[in-house]
Amino acid sequence: MPTSSRFVVAVHTLVALAVSGDKPLRSEDLAYSAHTSPVVIRGLLSRLSSAGLTKSQLGAGGGALLAKPAEEMRLLEVYEAVEDTRLFTMHRTPPPADCAVGSNIVDALQPALTRAREAFEAELDHTTIAELADAVARLGKFAMPLEW
């Protein structure tokens, strides 16, 4: 089953913006950093902007900026801003009601999936973009803001 990289690339984008400080970054620069297309970055920036996480600065030297402090951005916000699908999806076609397993599997499975989703969301809600930016700077042995 296919999975999406939107969340990871969106986090990458926000961390790059956090690392850059108050310097706006162009979608081309962000795309280079994430090793993707500027079109992908612009699409993500649009979703992140709608969620109040990024903003644009127009004109010469313009680009994307964080719309609020990285310390206030939780990974759960990012996930909710860019992912379209639920973490778990039930059968595309409902199982047959006359089957002993098929008629009961959704009700049997749902509590475990709910607990898993809640644990996933709690973990994402625990981590901020600022924490990741600090980790990237520490691992890369550089000080922020980074000169691009």
Side-chain angles (χ1 to χ4, degrees), residues 5-82:
S5 63
R6 281 188 301 266
F7 172 64
V8 171
V9 176
V11 169
H12 184 128
T13 298
L14 291 170
V15 168
L17 293 174
V19 165
S20 74
D22 294 331
K23 181 182 178 204
L25 294 178
R26 301 175 314 139
S27 57
E28 293 80 7
D29 299 322
L30 292 164
Y32 175 79
S33 178
H35 200 245
T36 191
S37 162
V39 172
V40 169
I41 297 298
R42 285 191 285 273
L44 289 172
L45 287 172
S46 175
R47 290 178 185 222
L48 294 169
S49 177
S50 294
L53 300 174
T54 62
K55 60 185 178 181
S56 296
Q57 180 175 308
L58 302 176
L65 295 160
L66 296 181
K68 63 183 186 179
E71 295 80 12
E72 296 176 15
M73 287 188 198
R74 305 211 168 271
L75 295 186
L76 183 57
E77 288 180 273
V78 181
Y79 182 80
E80 291 172 342
V82 300

Side-chain angles (χ1 to χ4, degrees), residues 63-123:
L65 295 160
L66 296 181
K68 63 183 186 179
E71 295 80 12
E72 296 176 15
M73 287 188 198
R74 305 211 168 271
L75 295 186
L76 183 57
E77 288 180 273
V78 181
Y79 182 80
E80 291 172 342
V82 300
E83 290 296 341
D84 293 329
T85 59
R86 295 173 32 175
L87 188 57
F88 301 106
T89 303
M90 291 297 168
H91 305 76
R92 292 187 190 274
T93 305
D98 62 350
C99 172
V101 174
S103 63
N104 295 296
I105 190 65
V106 171
D107 290 339
L109 183 57
Q110 196 61 57
L113 297 182
T114 298
R115 288 190 305 273
R117 180 185 47 78
E118 288 169 351
F120 173 75
E121 290 177 355
E123 184 60 32

